[in-house]
Amino acid sequence: MTAQWFLTDGIARRVSRRVIQVAITLFGLLLLTFFIGRVMPIDPVLAIVGPDADHSTYQQVYHQLGFDKPLWAQFGLYLNTLLHGDLGNALLTGKPVVDDILRVFPATLELATLAIIIGTGLGIPLGVLAAAKRNSLADYVVRIISLAGYSTPIFWVGMMGLLVFYAWLGWVGGAGRVELSLDGQVTSRSGLLLVDSLLEGNWTVFRNALNHLILPASLLGFHSMAYISRMTRSFMLAQLSQEFIITARVKGLNEWQVLWQHAFRNILVQLLTVVALAYGSLLEGAVLIETVFSWPGFGSYLTGSLLLGDMNAVMGCVLVVGVIFVMLNLLSDLLYQVFDPRTKA
């Protein structure tokens, strides 16, 4: 009974510490973003009333938004509304920021999910291959591909991809999530166009949506593949130099067993964090690809809000990004305990 209480109490303390860390992180993120937004050389009042509004109208909106109050008071008012689940209204659409984020986020989620599947599915095997064939031609090829994927500007890759695969070869769809003639033919349930079209059995929309999705997702996947393969190679090289690998080879195990059942198994926990962070980066960092492909997602919404000086929308997006990374880190910790028994001690 005492041991069980101690275990439960230890878990409760660990969870409490993590909740406090999450709260402090999100508070600091909101505080920094809020004050940066207030010193940006963009006037959100002017964006609302327009350049032709008279001075009295401008002053009225200025006071309504609370810009006449000190910065600490403005931040306090924002936190108060945030705690009530209200992120304010977006200047760009005039709708609640929460509704806008719920509308645009599924498009980015669909894009990033397919991209991380591609990046992980290619990056891990290539990284293992490069480590197993160290300093060989295969290793050099993988390293060159990884370097190119990691260092080449993603917007340039996107434009070249559109030029080659869409304009010249016609293998994929162009900008947007679906052809204009098919837009609105599927009822939005999850916001994920592929899922919704499958649920309705609309194969025409499904094929067209997949045709539009495959190129931007592949380019983002290529970018994440470069990072994942480099990290996999580095982790594998560290494991392949250990004594237990030499012992496994002396026992007569084939190279496949040595690589995947012994070395790779020991780096799986580390790779979980790498993949989780790469996925989080795709969810919040697909701005350039979404701009090039006119993808109506989270990144495009955030960019438009920044250019307009819409701090309600920007703060809402920053909060979402922070929550995403925190949740992915929590998920990584949980998976650590599943795959690495040493963390249960």
Side-chain angles (χ1 to χ4, degrees), residues 251-292:
K251 288 181 177 180
L253 296 181
N254 60 49
E255 195 65 16
W256 176 271
Q257 292 174 313
V258 171
L259 290 176
W260 293 101
Q261 295 183 11
H262 288 73
F264 182 75
R265 190 174 181 179
N266 277 3
I267 71 166
L268 186 58
V269 174
Q270 295 169 289
L271 280 181
L272 289 174
T273 301
V274 171
V275 173
L277 292 177
Y279 187 44
S281 298
L282 290 175
L283 285 172
E284 59 88 18
V287 176
L288 295 176
I289 279 292
E290 290 189 1
T291 301
V292 171

Side-chain angles (χ1 to χ4, degrees), residues 15 25 35-36 50 66 70 79 96 119 155 182 235 246 271 280 331 333:
V15 171
T25 300
F35 284 103
I36 289 177
L79 282 182
F155 69 90
L182 299 176
F235 294 154
I246 299 175
L271 280 181
L331 179 61
D333 289 344

Side-chain angles (χ1 to χ4, degrees), residues 35-48:
F35 284 103
I36 289 177
R38 285 297 184 264
V39 299
M40 286 177 61
I42 300 176
D43 191 347
V45 178
L46 194 62
I48 296 175

